[in-house]
Amino acid sequence: MSAHTGRSSAVTVVGLGPMGRALAAAFLAAGVPTTVWNRTPGRDADLVAAGARAAASAAEAVAASPLTVVCVVNYDASDAVLREETVTAALKGRTLVNLSADTPGRARDTAEWAARHGVRYLDGAIMTPAPTIGTDDAVFLHSGPEELYEEHRPVLAALGGTHTHLGEDPGRAAAYDIALLDIFWTAMAGYVHALAVARAEGVTGAELAPFAQGIAAILPPLFTEFAADTDAGTYSGAINPITSAVSTMTHVVHAAEAHGIDTSLMRVIEGQARRVVARGHGSDGYSRVADVITGR
Ligand code: NDP
């Protein structure tokens, strides 16, 4: 296989936090020659024992492979590594895939920087936890030049799971990532708040959890329905008008307040729904909030 197209194509992994280590381990397990580097030394012992080559510097690391995958905490961190002169010079003519998480704007900025320095650039986002890497459960999103993605797809496939190329705009993977993180963190905030309210009412987490899973199970069809609402601008509240939804939100606020539990998050949610009603859309569904919060 050619150095650029085959699964045997060498790869460099920059960043050896839990995710970077998982990526490097998956490449090694798939037989991909792998060079690793991390800002803080000493995080590569297991990987070296599994056959990785430890580079002495970031520049040496990126020079070792046609493809470098960087996975650090954010783009301030990836900039700190990649924009160092010797590293940028070593990257010239090679491919860089940035799987660190950050905003779409930072991804586009990095793509522009890469173009200015002759670095072939793909952006990406990882949507599943480190233990999924190398398994069928891993989910990777990619954006940037399709031809470049196709060229490196065989070696990226060593990371397991599903890989989706979302388009040429380098910010698109991060745009999905941000939207999906928005769902995740607000859901987590709701759940920990629910655990606190339940605990104050003498209901243990273990008692609540099976019913919480029941709530989670009703969400997938709602995701599809709300997506159609916001795409089409139709917000049918035939089954659950927002006037009715607001009432249940107020119950949560009152019950939590009775226990002295912070209700700031639920009050924001309730306030947004009340604004929909105040604008005369009380018979619409909850998805109408998407318009009100964007000033439509
Ligand atoms: P962290 O997000 O904690 O990132 C740790 C890595 O970032 C280490 O390699 C660390 O180096 C490096 N780093 C931090 N600051 C700098 C800097 N200024 N210069 C150079 N390197 C720096 O750990 P993860 O590995 O878990 O995450 C990496 C990325 O993957 C993140 O963007 C995260 O959001 C994303 N991700 C992680 C998931 C997970 O399950 N862990 C799931 C999905 C996405 P050092 O060791 O020297 O501090």
Side-chain angles (χ1 to χ4, degrees):
M1 283 191 233
S2 94
H4 282 282
T5 56
R7 232 191 184 195
S8 63
S9 178
V11 68
T12 288
V13 176
V14 167
L16 299 178
M19 184 54 88
R21 281 204 301 275
L23 298 173
F27 282 128
L28 287 165
V32 179
T34 304
T35 300
V36 294
W37 181 84
N38 191 60
R39 176 184 62 170
T40 305
R43 305 258 153 89
D44 55 7
D46 290 356
L47 297 167
V48 170
R53 182 178 160 230
S57 69
E60 184 187 306
V62 304
S65 312
L67 171 65
T68 289
V69 172
V70 59
C71 190
V72 289
V73 62
N74 55 31
Y75 280 48
D76 281 347
S78 60
D79 282 356
V81 177
L82 304 170
R83 300 196 188 202
E84 198 274 314
E85 208 177 325
T86 58
V87 179
T88 306
L91 277 169
K92 190 167 182 182
R94 300 176 195 276
T95 301
L96 173 67
V97 179
N98 198 339
L99 295 181
S100 314
D102 214 310
T103 64
R106 293 301 295 265
R108 292 182 190 116
D109 173 64
T110 304
E112 281 168 21
W113 164 85
R116 283 199 305 278
H117 291 87
V119 180
R120 309 165 85 219
Y121 185 71
L122 285 170
D123 204 88
I126 306 170
M127 301 317 310
T128 50
T132 65
I133 305 304
T135 77
D136 290 347
D137 294 333
V139 175
F140 296 88
L141 305 177
H142 303 276
S143 51
E146 183 161 11
E147 209 180 63
L148 192 57
Y149 170 69
E150 289 300 333
E151 181 181 327
H152 293 285
R153 198 151 70 123
V155 72
L156 292 171
L159 298 173
T162 52
H163 293 255
T164 307
H165 181 252
L166 298 167
E168 301 266 330
D169 168 12
R172 207 162 161 81
Y176 276 63
D177 186 29
I178 291 298
L180 296 170
L181 285 170
D182 199 348
I183 300 169
F184 181 75
W185 285 118
T186 49
M188 289 301 99
Y191 188 43
V192 295
H193 194 268
L195 288 169
V197 173
R199 183 171 57 192
E201 285 290 338
V203 179
T204 66
E207 287 170 320
L208 187 70
F211 294 92
Q213 280 159 16
I215 292 289
I218 65 174
L219 295 182
L222 287 177
F223 284 178
T224 307
E225 188 188 315
F226 281 24
D229 282 352
T230 55
D231 284 351
T234 55
Y235 302 97
S236 169
I239 296 172
N240 191 5
I242 201 160
T243 41
S244 168
V246 163
S247 167
T248 66
M249 295 170 191
T250 307
H251 300 157
V252 179
V253 170
H254 289 166
E257 273 176 356
H259 292 292
I261 292 171
D262 184 339
T263 55
S264 51
L265 181 61
M266 201 65 212
R267 280 203 174 279
V268 169
I269 294 166
E270 183 198 18
Q272 289 171 345
R274 286 198 186 283
R275 271 159 62 201
V276 172
V277 176
R279 287 181 192 202
H281 304 303
S283 59
D284 281 359
Y286 180 70
S287 54
R288 172 66 86 164
V289 169
D291 274 5
V292 169
I293 61 173
T294 41
R296 291 190 190 183

